[in-house]
Amino acid sequence: MNHIKNKVQLITYPDSLGGDLRALNEILQKYLKDIFTGGIHILPPFRASGDRGFAPISYFEIDPVFGTWEDIKKISKDFDVMLDLMVNHISRQSKYFQDFLKNGRKSKYAALFLTIDKIWGNTNPTKEDISKIFLRRPNPFSTFTIGKTGIQETVWTTFGKSDPSEQIDLNIESNKTKKLFKAILNKYHKNHVKFVRLDAVGYIIKKAGTSCFFVEPEITKFLDWITNITKRKHIVILPEIHAHYSIQFKLAKCGYWIYDFVLPFMILETLINKSSQRIYRYLKDRPPNQITMLDCHDGIPINPDLNDFYEQEETTKIIDICLNRGANLSYIFSAGQKSKKNIVHQIRGTYYSLLDCNDDAYIAARAIQFFTPGIPQVYYTGLLAGTNDYEKADAKGDGREINRHNYDMKEFQYAVEQKVVQRLLTLIRFRNDYPAFNGNFLVLDSNPDELKLSWQKEDKKCTLNLDLSTYKSVVEYVDIKGKKIEFVL
């Protein structure tokens, strides 16, 4: 398994803490140097044309609004840096697609893109073909008119709100695409990037007659190919796949780090229902090589991540409570889904708001996350116990913006001093420093309204005792002198 520090990591946009990369580094150095010793995941800082960086125009240039590659290198001196590689798509404003729009099939970049004939030959996809596809928008294709010829070309576009889409899918079977990926990874390596998240990697294989999602064995071959490259550059890759847990666990068995996309909802459900029965069973039987999180720039996963963990009625109950607390939802568009209740993809809102801004419940949620085996990531609004930003969501016309509030320096300084945030920082320091977290994990037997999680390495042992009826979290541990210490989080 690739090396990764067993410490807490931060997730942030390049401009969300202070306004740019230089301000981010200032905040890290002044306030958080002993907090995020596991690393910093900086969401796409590149020049982009949409989706807040996830429609990259070029990976070779940092958006000047955020800074430069030198700013990335400065951050990397004290923090391991993670960046994204959107292996599924690139911006239609990129030089590659703009050349294709001008020259069509004669473009030197034509091989990068997936025209319909590359999948279905001389025929068009049927309704049955489309019905099998795992859709993220009603129509997975976009049609463009080629400048020099006037010919219309239809290309695959998995994501995007506009029609035609701003995000153009890449043909990963093409040697030109692979050459581009190699050049990007080389750029990352030269600028001291230690981790690369393969964003939307589950969608990269398009094959007629399939769901076009995590198609095997082709996707495994791609992961093997890119792993061989990143290993030589001492880069750890993190495949980002929202899928049935069996797919995730399969990757974990192959030695990849995966996201635990089950845990965010399960912790929410545990705290709302005040019952540990479901999470008790789950924590006893899951791979340890997972990145744990509660919140992120998108939302709390529901479908397909929770399939076979919860019945629809169970998830609907929690979803309705979250809606009453100000959340909004994203949906899946796959054919055959009859009701919106069946196709909720994610719950969107800050985790603190979804827990009704209850400080004790929020600290309990983080305590469960940090005591769960894996590498914890904390999203920047979660770090600051941020609340739902309805104004920004309305202004941007994007429900995800509810959890994407930007903090200027003054606002950050105020937010970090909140009592609940200081309690969280104390918990993070303990998770980073206590040696037992590198030992053996146990889920201890408890009553349904309690949860007890324990770690032990040699003579060091710590146990989380959580009372779900009150959300009181107590940690017991053995200190350096062998004395048993108990403190309330």
Side-chain angles (χ1 to χ4, degrees):
M1 190 182 300
N2 289 328
H3 176 71
I4 185 170
K5 293 176 184 175
N6 186 17
K7 311 282 186 180
V8 181
Q9 299 181 353
L10 173 69
I11 317 169
T12 182
Y13 284 100
D15 58 337
S16 289
L17 295 176
D20 57 22
L21 291 168
R22 186 175 298 179
L24 170 61
N25 195 30
E26 182 181 337
I27 284 173
L28 291 172
Q29 296 291 342
K30 188 173 181 179
Y31 297 95
L32 305 172
K33 196 163 188 178
D34 65 333
I35 300 298
F36 296 111
T37 53
I40 313 295
H41 180 182
I42 302 173
L43 295 168
F46 316 107
R47 289 183 60 239
S49 61
D51 200 10
R52 196 153 179 186
F54 284 89
I57 295 173
S58 172
Y59 288 92
F60 302 99
E61 180 185 350
I62 302 297
D63 190 323
V65 172
F66 305 141
T68 67
W69 277 108
E70 285 303 312
D71 294 311
I72 297 289
K73 285 203 287 190
K74 285 178 182 177
I75 293 173
S76 74
K77 288 180 180 179
D78 295 296
F79 304 90
D80 290 345
V81 171
M82 180 188 297
L83 293 181
D84 288 274
L85 173 55
M86 279 61 80
V87 288
N88 181 70
H89 53 262
I90 200 162
S91 170
R92 72 171 174 176
Q93 306 304 326
S94 66
K95 70 176 184 180
Y96 315 108
F97 194 68
Q98 286 297 304
D99 192 83
F100 176 76
L101 280 180
K102 180 180 179 182
N103 298 301
R105 301 295 176 101
K106 292 185 178 180
S107 167
K108 60 182 177 179
Y109 301 117
L112 291 175
F113 307 109
L114 281 164
T115 49
I116 294 297
D117 59 288
K118 291 179 182 177
I119 309 299
W120 282 278
N122 294 325
T123 63
N124 289 321
T126 64
K127 287 185 178 179
E128 184 180 358
D129 290 324
I130 302 299
S131 71
K132 293 177 181 178
I133 298 172
F134 183 74
L135 297 177
R136 296 306 311 277
R137 61 200 303 262
N139 181 7
F141 313 115
S142 293
T143 300
F144 297 89
T145 301
I146 302 303
K148 283 192 174 180
T149 63
I151 294 173
Q152 288 195 322
E153 291 282 9
T154 299
V155 297
W156 206 299
T157 52
T158 299
F159 299 96
K161 284 191 169 186
S162 61
D163 189 17
S165 176
E166 195 64 28
Q167 291 159 296
I168 311 298
D169 285 27
L170 291 166
N171 177 15
I172 61 97
E173 301 292 341
S174 165
N175 286 331
K176 274 195 174 293
T177 304
K178 291 179 178 177
K179 184 178 180 181
L180 175 61
F181 288 165
K182 286 180 180 179
I184 294 167
L185 291 169
N186 190 49
K187 182 72 172 179
Y188 286 2
H189 177 61
K190 286 183 177 179
N191 286 279
H192 307 162
V193 175
K194 295 292 182 65
F195 311 114
V196 173
R197 184 175 74 157
L198 302 180
D199 180 74
V201 68
Y203 299 91
I204 62 172
I205 305 297
K206 280 76 171 180
K207 191 174 182 180
T210 74
S211 67
C212 300
F213 182 82
F214 204 85
V215 178
E216 298 180 285
E218 289 86 349
I219 192 167
T220 305
K221 291 179 181 177
F222 173 80
L223 288 172
D224 288 345
W225 173 81
I226 202 165
T227 299
N228 285 334
I229 295 170
T230 54
K231 275 186 175 179
R232 293 195 296 270
K233 300 180 183 300
H234 305 288
I235 291 174
V236 177
I237 63 168
L238 173 59
E240 187 257 353
I241 297 175
H242 284 283
H244 190 272
Y245 73 92
S246 60
I247 291 177
Q248 296 272 43
F249 287 8
K250 186 183 297 185
L251 286 175
K253 286 183 179 178
C254 294
Y256 292 104
W257 284 95
I258 61 171
Y259 279 105
D260 187 341
F261 286 136
V262 173
L263 194 63
F265 182 90
M266 193 165 279
I267 290 178
L268 194 63
E269 178 270 326
T270 297
L271 295 171
I272 289 175
N273 288 335
K274 299 181 184 292
S275 171
S276 63
Q277 290 180 303
R278 192 66 63 87
I279 200 167
Y280 174 87
R281 295 193 297 270
Y282 176 65
L283 293 180
K284 278 179 169 287
D285 186 27
R286 61 183 282 285
N289 50 316
Q290 300 196 57
I291 303 295
T292 68
M293 38 81 78
L294 297 185
D295 42 9
C296 67
H297 65 287
D298 283 335
I300 294 173
I302 303 294
N303 188 331
D305 308 83
L306 297 180
N307 291 350
D308 296 330
F309 277 110
Y310 290 92
E311 297 297 329
Q312 180 188 334
E313 295 77 13
E314 295 175 301
T315 56
T316 298
K317 173 188 172 183
I318 303 301
I319 288 169
D320 287 344
I321 290 171
C322 291
L323 289 173
N324 287 333
R325 293 175 178 176
N328 64 67
L329 308 174
S330 64
Y331 300 98
I332 290 170
F333 294 95
S334 293
Q337 302 282 8
K338 307 264 185 198
S339 160
K340 278 192 173 182
K341 294 289 186 182
N342 287 333
I343 59 171
V344 173
H345 181 50
Q346 294 177 340
I347 303 170
R348 302 188 297 207
T350 75
Y351 213 87
Y352 186 63
S353 291
L354 298 182
L355 288 172
D356 211 21
C357 300
N358 183 311
D359 288 5
D360 290 339
Y362 185 63
I363 293 301
R366 289 295 177 188
I368 297 171
Q369 179 197 5
F370 294 167
F371 270 75
T372 295
I375 305 301
Q377 285 189 339
V378 177
Y379 185 56
Y380 74 98
T381 60
L383 168 70
L384 300 174
T387 55
N388 291 338
D389 191 336
Y390 306 109
E391 184 178 342
K392 188 172 185 184
D394 290 341
K396 295 286 187 179
D398 186 341
R400 295 174 298 179
E401 295 292 329
I402 195 172
N403 191 24
R404 296 179 177 180
H405 182 76
N406 284 346
Y407 295 80
D408 61 27
M409 191 67 74
K410 185 176 180 180
E411 193 175 7
F412 171 84
Q413 290 168 341
Y414 172 80
V416 80
E417 292 300 327
Q418 296 176 96
K419 187 175 180 180
V420 64
V421 175
Q422 289 298 310
R423 291 169 66 185
L424 176 57
L425 296 181
T426 297
L427 176 58
I428 293 175
R429 291 186 182 98
F430 181 78
R431 173 61 179 80
N432 283 337
D433 298 336
Y434 195 69
F437 287 105
N438 293 308
N440 297 315
F441 171 73
L442 284 175
V443 184
L444 304 179
D445 291 337
S446 63
N447 296 324
D449 63 349
E450 298 175 325
L451 183 63
K452 297 184 178 183
L453 309 177
S454 182
W455 285 88
Q456 183 166 3
K457 183 179 181 181
E458 298 171 349
D459 62 337
K460 297 297 182 291
K461 181 179 180 180
C462 61
T463 302
L464 170 66
N465 297 294
L466 174 57
D467 183 342
L468 293 170
S469 64
T470 63
Y471 300 138
K472 183 178 181 180
S473 305
V474 178
V475 172
E476 299 175 352
Y477 71 98
V478 178
D479 71 8
I480 195 170
K481 297 179 181 179
K483 183 180 178 181
K484 290 184 179 180
I485 306 292
E486 178 179 294
F487 71 97
V488 179
L489 294 176

